[in-house]
Amino acid sequence: MPLTLEDIARIAGTSRSTVSRVINGDQNVSEATRTKVMDVISKVNFQPNLAARGLAAGHTGILGLVIPMGVSAIFADPFFPLLIQGVSGQCNSRDVSVMLWLAEPEFERRTINNVLYNGLIDGVIIASMLTDDSLVDALRNKSLPFVLVGRHPTDEHIHYVDSDNRSGAYQAVLHMVRMGRKRIACINGPANMIAGMDRARGYRDALKERGISLQPELVVEADFTDPGGYAAMKQLMQYRPDAVFAASDTMAIGAVRAIHELGLRVPEDIAVVGFDDIPMASRITPSLTTVRQPISRIGAIAADTLIDLIENPSDRPQHIILPTELVIRESCGAIHPVRS
Amino acid sequence: MPLTLEDIARIAGTSRSTVSRVINGDQNVSEATRTKVMDVISKVNFQPNLAARGLAAGHTGILGLVIPMGVSAIFADPFFPLLIQGVSGQCNSRDVSVMLWLAEPEFERRTINNVLYNGLIDGVIIASMLTDDSLVDALRNKSLPFVLVGRHPTDEHIHYVDSDNRSGAYQAVLHMVRMGRKRIACINGPANMIAGMDRARGYRDALKERGISLQPELVVEADFTDPGGYAAMKQLMQYRPDAVFAASDTMAIGAVRAIHELGLRVPEDIAVVGFDDIPMASRITPSLTTVRQPISRIGAIAADTLIDLIENPSDRPQHIILPTELVIRESCGAIHPVRS
DNA sequence: CTGAAAGCGCTTACAG
DNA sequence: CTGAAAGCGCTTACAG
């Protein structure tokens, strides 16, 4: 049987209320009693029961993290692991716990709703990134604080943190234009994902700014996976691109494989630029030029934003866009590849 | 304000106790009242407060999942993501929630202990795999049910699920012996990880069975990462191996890169076999022969085992070892590579 | 600065 | 089959 406040109080020779006060850092406790109580607590290694605390106080110090599992191979991409890592790390240092839901599409309506409104979490981070997400819609009408990873396209009142997908893609494509590429293709993410929309816009903006007309056949949509990038590249080959911007490194790696299989060279025949800067990007041959986005930091900031929001519900909507960075390696042709 | 049992009871014209009974599936409720209460519950979309339920009932329907972050690049390897996926999926279908802790080494003593004994979780899955884990030691003296992912080397009373690491490594190495390789090296995982120990034993057992004496200089320890495998392979090259067994695909991929950089061929000059069968294994050139282990299923079974254990605490210790499977591709030389 | 008391929203003997 | 009541372990006005 774990000890309770009452036990601690008895041992320390005080009352349950006072013990509660020292645990919660209430100022109205004399230094003497505080010390005495602290001693007992650390001596017996006392842990207050969080369920009871949650019931009594109305908050639990737990935050939910919901990750959609819509795409089957979601964990083949390091995006979500890194995001989880960022959220978890920040929560650790802020002393809050995280409850994780990998949302299977079939469970969405039933379980997710069940789980979010069960009085156990103080707020929730949704790694949604879909342009229309039923969970987000449900949340908008409730009082549970939440922040999105990935900006919301329409509702200005929703808190979110995202990276600057448009600008990242814009820089990447502009770079290829500057390198003299004329027929720059785009392997984009799904159109119903906001990151996909934004990166496609960056691609279009860069072309437009340089007076290059958009060739619809040079833009193909894939699903952020390696096989998806591979298939998309194969499809693009008939239109003779001399460069390709892939909206994720995983797709870019698939694309490079497709190019190599057809006996062409990267970057000599086709330059390739990816997005994310996953660890693999610097290891493949040729090493991959890519747009680095601070995934783990996005997670950390989302957690911070949510915790602040819970403590201060009247906050103005937070719209945090983190900068991206173009990492130039061999695959774009700007650096002469060192071949062994 | 969310509704409470009392509200539902008033609307349905019955008592709080009865509503609680229908929610918990108690048999002692007439069909008529049950229907009436169910109707109200689904009409107002009622969710019982889990903190209150936890307090009153003594269990919460939440299970903890603790993943060590000791190795910095832990999420570069798909092992943990797949494990999380397996645990989460099974928990979803068993209607229990999961609370996730990525345990930073510095937090271990303070946070982890805090968190495990807070009355909020019914049991915990530890993806420990260290031969000596302070968390596991702490748990052994407590009453919180737990199951390990990765077998415990000494304590027979601990529940665990693991894959057959020894046998997997044994099969892999035996295969290379059969292919005529004479100087088979081993890039092993850290010696303080049980999986590392077991795979090293499989390697030794296969050599011994075939009467090949173990050459200590052909065995090197790395850290399960790609750069680790790369560095280990570079180091091994001076001893002229004609084959190498790497204890993870991620290390095997690093090793292949090292071999290629030195101008040698896989598998002609050096055969390579990995472990895990991560998605990347089938995509690299040459495709990687490897030992497939059912990571996601291990997670699912760990969750199942824990949930059963919570419901029936008197269960005998469960020691579940899942079989592995040798997946033969190009890198071992058994299949003639198709080069483009 | 401190303690007695009410209350958070459930579950579960207990009595009928 | 049903309801009134006690209790789970906390927090937090309230009174002193």
Side-chain angles (χ1 to χ4, degrees):
Chain A
M1 277 295 84
L3 297 176
T4 70
L5 276 195
E6 200 69 60
D7 298 319
I8 304 302
R10 192 171 344 99
I11 301 174
T14 177
S15 78
R16 189 207 305 184
S17 320
T18 298
V19 176
S20 175
R21 287 193 191 95
V22 350
I23 287 178
N24 292 297
D26 190 315
Q27 291 309 306
N28 294 323
V29 181
S30 75
E31 208 39 48
T33 27
R34 180 185 309 282
T35 314
K36 190 168 41 177
V37 171
M38 289 294 233
D39 281 354
V40 176
I41 285 177
S42 70
K43 186 177 316 164
V44 304
N45 194 22
F46 172 71
Q47 309 298 338
N49 179 307
L50 290 191
R53 194 209 290 248
L55 227 206
H59 58 258
T60 55
I62 306 175
L63 128 195
L65 172 59
V66 178
I67 291 182
M69 291 293 295
V71 192
S72 66
I74 215 138
F75 269 134
D77 200 297
F79 182 90
F80 288 108
L82 285 170
L83 188 71
I84 294 176
Q85 186 174 224
V87 170
S88 170
Q90 194 59 28
C91 286
N92 275 352
S93 61
R94 286 268 230 144
D95 209 28
V96 335
S97 303
V98 6
M99 214 135 153
L100 177 74
W101 287 280
L102 303 184
E104 315 265 356
E106 325 89 72
F107 281 90
E108 200 113 24
R109 230 68 209 83
R110 195 175 62 82
T111 304
I112 294 294
N113 263 306
N114 278 4
V115 146
L116 294 186
Y117 309 122
N118 58 21
L120 216 49
I121 61 179
D122 295 340
V124 58
I125 295 172
I126 316 277
S128 161
M129 297 166 293
L130 291 174
T131 50
D132 59 330
D133 187 303
S134 55
L135 219 202
V136 173
D137 282 343
L139 243 13
R140 289 205 277 178
N141 304 315
K142 303 283 183 169
S143 57
L144 193 71
F146 68 102
V147 353
L148 260 39
V149 168
R151 70 184 188 85
H152 192 91
T154 55
D155 190 334
E156 283 294 314
H157 301 297
I158 292 181
H159 307 257
Y160 62 77
V161 12
D162 202 350
S163 49
D164 197 340
N165 289 302
R166 195 208 65 85
S167 165
Y170 172 85
Q171 298 295 344
V173 174
L174 202 60
H175 174 70
M176 289 191 284
V177 174
R178 288 199 185 110
M179 298 297 299
R181 303 290 167 162
K182 302 297 181 198
R183 296 182 56 74
I184 303 174
C186 175
I187 301 178
N188 198 19
N192 68 338
M193 293 183 73
I194 303 184
M197 279 178 40
D198 289 348
R199 290 173 198 174
R201 191 148 63 83
Y203 168 80
R204 290 196 306 271
D205 288 356
L207 294 188
K208 180 190 280 180
E209 176 172 312
R210 289 308 183 111
I212 303 172
S213 63
L214 182 77
Q215 317 249 18
E217 71 273 15
L218 284 182
V219 179
V220 12
E221 184 179 319
D223 62 356
F224 278 135
T225 68
D226 174 298
Y230 174 89
M233 193 67 227
K234 286 257 162 127
Q235 185 186 328
L236 283 168
M237 290 309 263
Q238 57 186 306
Y239 304 111
R240 306 267 158 214
D242 61 5
V244 59
F245 165 67
S248 81
D249 286 350
T250 307
M251 293 196 295
I253 290 170
V256 167
R257 206 170 61 253
I259 295 169
H260 282 164
E261 259 183 31
L262 295 170
L264 298 179
R265 294 160 305 164
V266 175
E268 293 85 341
D269 298 309
I270 302 182
V272 177
V273 176
F275 205 110
D276 283 344
D277 196 25
I278 64 177
M280 185 62 65
S282 59
R283 289 189 209 127
I284 62 167
T285 304
S287 59
L288 188 66
T289 293
T290 187
V291 179
R292 178 180 296 161
Q293 60 166 336
I295 302 172
S296 157
R297 235 174 46 128
I298 289 177
I301 292 178
D304 252 343
T305 305
L306 180 58
I307 296 170
D308 291 344
L309 185 64
I310 291 165
E311 291 172 357
N312 185 358
S314 64
D315 270 1
R316 310 257 125 262
Q318 301 286 323
H319 296 170
I320 300 171
I321 301 283
L322 299 177
T324 59
E325 176 190 358
L326 183 64
V327 180
I328 294 178
R329 298 204 182 92
E330 296 166 352
S331 69
C332 63
I335 296 176
H336 191 69
V338 182
R339 293 285 165 77
S340 57
Chain B
M1 278 296 84
L3 298 175
T4 69
L5 275 195
E6 201 69 58
D7 298 318
I8 304 301
R10 193 172 341 101
I11 301 175
T14 178
S15 78
R16 188 206 308 186
S17 320
T18 298
V19 175
S20 174
R21 287 194 191 96
V22 351
I23 287 177
N24 293 299
D26 190 316
Q27 291 308 305
N28 294 324
V29 181
S30 75
E31 207 40 47
T33 24
R34 180 186 308 281
T35 315
K36 192 167 40 177
V37 170
M38 289 291 233
D39 282 354
V40 176
I41 285 177
S42 69
K43 185 177 317 163
V44 304
N45 192 23
F46 172 72
Q47 309 298 340
N49 180 305
L50 290 191
R53 192 208 289 249
L55 228 207
H59 57 261
T60 55
I62 305 174
L63 129 195
L65 173 59
V66 178
I67 291 181
M69 292 292 294
V71 191
S72 66
I74 216 138
F75 269 133
D77 201 296
F79 183 91
F80 288 107
L82 286 170
L83 187 72
I84 293 176
Q85 185 173 226
V87 169
S88 171
Q90 194 60 28
C91 286
N92 275 350
S93 61
R94 286 269 228 143
D95 209 27
V96 336
S97 303
V98 6
M99 212 134 154
L100 177 73
W101 287 280
L102 303 184
E104 315 266 357
E106 324 89 69
F107 281 91
E108 200 113 24
R109 230 69 209 86
R110 196 174 61 82
T111 305
I112 294 293
N113 263 308
N114 278 4
V115 144
L116 294 185
Y117 308 123
N118 58 20
L120 217 49
I121 60 179
D122 296 340
V124 58
I125 295 172
I126 316 277
S128 161
M129 297 165 294
L130 291 174
T131 48
D132 59 331
D133 187 303
S134 56
L135 218 202
V136 173
D137 282 343
L139 243 14
R140 291 205 276 179
N141 304 317
K142 304 283 181 167
S143 57
L144 193 70
F146 69 101
V147 354
L148 259 40
V149 169
R151 70 184 187 86
H152 192 92
T154 53
D155 189 335
E156 284 294 313
H157 301 296
I158 293 180
H159 307 257
Y160 63 75
V161 13
D162 202 350
S163 50
D164 197 340
N165 287 303
R166 194 208 65 85
S167 165
Y170 173 85
Q171 299 294 342
V173 174
L174 203 58
H175 174 70
M176 290 191 282
V177 174
R178 288 197 187 110
M179 298 296 299
R181 305 288 168 162
K182 303 298 181 198
R183 296 183 55 76
I184 303 174
C186 175
I187 301 178
N188 197 19
N192 68 339
M193 294 182 71
I194 303 183
M197 280 177 40
D198 289 348
R199 290 173 197 174
R201 190 149 62 85
Y203 168 81
R204 290 195 307 270
D205 287 357
L207 294 187
K208 181 190 282 180
E209 176 172 312
R210 289 308 184 109
I212 302 172
S213 63
L214 183 77
Q215 317 249 19
E217 70 274 16
L218 285 182
V219 179
V220 12
E221 184 180 319
D223 61 358
F224 277 136
T225 69
D226 174 300
Y230 174 90
M233 193 67 227
K234 286 257 162 130
Q235 184 187 329
L236 284 168
M237 291 308 265
Q238 59 186 305
Y239 303 112
R240 307 267 158 215
D242 60 4
V244 59
F245 164 67
S248 80
D249 286 350
T250 306
M251 292 196 296
I253 290 170
V256 168
R257 207 170 60 254
I259 295 169
H260 283 163
E261 259 184 29
L262 295 171
L264 297 180
R265 294 160 304 165
V266 175
E268 293 85 340
D269 299 309
I270 302 183
V272 177
V273 177
F275 204 110
D276 283 344
D277 196 26
I278 64 177
M280 185 62 66
S282 59
R283 290 190 208 126
I284 61 167
T285 304
S287 59
L288 188 65
T289 292
T290 187
V291 179
R292 178 180 296 160
Q293 61 166 334
I295 302 174
S296 156
R297 234 173 47 125
I298 289 178
I301 292 179
D304 252 344
T305 305
L306 180 57
I307 297 171
D308 291 344
L309 185 64
I310 290 166
E311 290 171 356
N312 186 357
S314 64
D315 270 2
R316 309 258 127 259
Q318 301 287 322
H319 296 170
I320 300 171
I321 302 281
L322 299 176
T324 59
E325 176 190 0
L326 183 64
V327 179
I328 295 179
R329 297 204 182 91
E330 296 166 352
S331 70
C332 63
I335 296 176
H336 190 68
V338 182
R339 292 288 164 77
S340 56

